[in-house]
């Protein structure tokens, strides 16, 4: 019975991953948590087991070379996510089970897909901030003569927008395609490779490459943040100091 439950869980998770490629993935139901536990979870932190399936926790000594490599890379990634306070990040507890085991791997792959989705949504939301503020302002002006509707209740058609707002919207969409399109495509390709892989180690290799790429991105981001901080804190050289040199 236990083997059947594991097999069914794996099949269900793989089906969810495949459905991501078609854009039809359904959000998994999370297990119930106490109110205190919910308050301690960052709104964009991603638990490794969103569907409440028990996965094995293994010591470093029991891992294969491939499993140890992905754990080390993922642990460094999670540490960086929390250190530089990334908006979307994994929970620290997920380090002990990420990518390991028959069920654990597929849960990890599904969590990784969810992580990339949250990154895309967060980045797209940031791109829209300025435009949304202008649209709200425009809607308020348009609805100022209508006492029966608030600004939020007005439906705006693209053709009704001023030319400058139409142009800004097109620029925002083009930027989203240029900056976020490659990440969305990369996610689809990686999921396809994971689903089509014929062995556990092959799947681990694909997932580790995903983790490595994200870890390197954050390492570069941390370096840039450090350079910006140093430049800000460095004292300004006076004319006298420059002449003395």
């Amino acid at each position: 019975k236990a083997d059947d439950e594991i097999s069914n869980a794996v099949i269900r998770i793989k089906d969810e991953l495949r459905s991501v490629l078609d854009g039809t993935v359904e959000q998994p139901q999370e297990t119930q948590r106490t109110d205190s536990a919910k308050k301690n979870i960052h709104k964009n932190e991603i638990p490794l087991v969103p569907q409440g399936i028990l996965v094995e926790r293994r010591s470093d000594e029991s891992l294969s070379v491939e499993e140890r490599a992905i754990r080390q890379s993922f642990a460094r990634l999670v540490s960086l996510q929390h250190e530089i306070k990334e908006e979307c990040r994994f929970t620290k507890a997920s380090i002990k089970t990420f990518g390991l085991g028959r069920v654990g791997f597929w849960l990890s792959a599904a969590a990784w897909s969810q992580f990339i989705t949250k990154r895309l949504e967060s980045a797209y939301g940031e791109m829209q901030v300025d435009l949304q503020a202008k649209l709200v302002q425009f809607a308020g002006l348009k609805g100022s003569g209508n006492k029966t509707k608030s600004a939020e209740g007005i439906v705006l058609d693209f053709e009704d927008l001023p030319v400058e707002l139409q142009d800004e919207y097109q620029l925002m969409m083009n930027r989203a395609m240029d900056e976020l399109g490659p990440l969305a495509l990369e996610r689809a390709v990686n999921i396809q490779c994971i689903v089509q892989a014929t062995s556990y180690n092959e799947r681990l290799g694909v997932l580790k490459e995903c983790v490595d790429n994200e870890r390197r991105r954050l390492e570069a981001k941390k370096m840039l943040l450090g350079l910006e901080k140093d430049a800000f804190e460095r004292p300004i050289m006076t004319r006298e100091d420059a002449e003395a040199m």
Side-chain angles (χ1 to χ4, degrees):
K1 182 179 179 181
D3 286 342
D4 289 342
E5 290 178 351
I6 291 174
S7 297
N8 291 335
V10 169
I11 291 171
R12 177 164 50 82
I13 297 166
K14 289 173 72 174
D15 287 342
E16 289 179 358
L17 284 172
R18 290 191 184 96
S19 66
V20 169
L21 302 177
D22 300 325
T24 57
V25 65
E26 295 183 359
Q27 295 297 323
Q29 296 295 322
E30 294 192 3
T31 54
Q32 292 185 347
R33 302 186 182 94
T34 62
D35 291 339
S36 60
K38 289 180 180 179
K39 292 178 181 178
N40 292 329
I41 296 179
H42 187 275
K43 66 177 181 179
N44 277 333
E45 282 192 353
I46 301 172
L48 190 60
V49 191
Q51 295 164 315
I53 298 175
L54 182 64
V55 293
E56 58 182 325
R57 294 176 179 269
R58 292 165 54 191
S59 64
D60 292 341
E61 294 75 18
S62 68
L63 303 180
S64 66
V65 174
E66 294 80 7
E67 290 172 334
R68 189 177 295 110
I70 194 172
R71 172 174 287 186
Q72 290 173 348
S73 184
F74 184 71
R76 174 60 178 159
L77 168 63
V78 175
S79 176
L80 283 168
Q81 288 178 336
H82 287 262
E83 181 181 352
I84 63 180
K85 296 179 173 59
E86 280 288 284
E87 181 69 19
C88 303
R89 61 201 185 201
F90 283 90
T91 59
K92 293 180 179 180
S94 63
I95 294 173
K96 288 297 183 182
T97 55
F98 186 83
L100 305 181
R102 185 178 174 187
V103 175
F105 173 84
W106 291 107
L107 283 168
S108 301
W112 188 265
S113 176
Q114 181 189 5
F115 163 67
I116 298 300
T117 298
K118 284 183 174 290
R119 269 197 60 200
L120 290 167
E121 291 173 349
S122 177
Y124 185 58
E126 290 177 2
M127 291 180 182
Q128 296 184 79
V129 171
D130 291 340
L131 179 60
Q132 288 287 356
K134 294 177 181 179
L135 289 174
V136 169
Q137 183 180 18
F138 175 73
L141 292 174
K142 184 177 180 181
S144 59
N146 189 341
K147 297 181 180 180
T148 63
K149 285 189 176 182
S150 64
E152 292 79 3
I154 296 175
V155 178
L156 297 176
D157 291 327
F158 183 77
E159 292 76 12
D160 295 335
L161 298 177
V163 174
E164 57 270 20
L165 285 182
Q166 292 185 14
D167 291 342
E168 188 169 345
Y169 173 80
Q170 292 292 353
L171 287 173
M172 187 270 295
M173 291 300 297
N174 291 338
R175 180 189 171 196
M177 289 296 296
D178 291 341
E179 297 184 14
L180 304 182
L183 179 59
L185 177 61
E186 180 183 1
R187 182 191 67 159
V189 171
N190 288 330
I191 291 175
Q192 188 70 43
C193 290
I194 287 173
V195 172
Q196 292 181 343
T198 58
S199 69
Y200 175 57
N201 284 340
E202 186 180 350
R203 288 190 291 271
L204 275 180
V206 177
L207 187 57
K208 181 179 180 297
E209 184 178 355
C210 297
V211 174
D212 288 344
N213 289 338
E214 180 65 11
R215 174 179 52 78
R216 285 190 284 264
R217 183 185 74 85
L218 292 190
E219 287 172 343
K221 182 177 180 178
K222 179 184 176 182
M223 184 181 298
L224 289 174
L225 290 174
L227 291 174
E228 291 176 359
K229 182 179 179 182
D230 291 343
F232 179 77
E233 295 177 348
R234 188 181 300 119
I236 299 175
M237 182 179 293
T238 64
R239 181 176 180 180
E240 290 76 12
D241 292 335
E243 291 175 349
M245 294 178 64

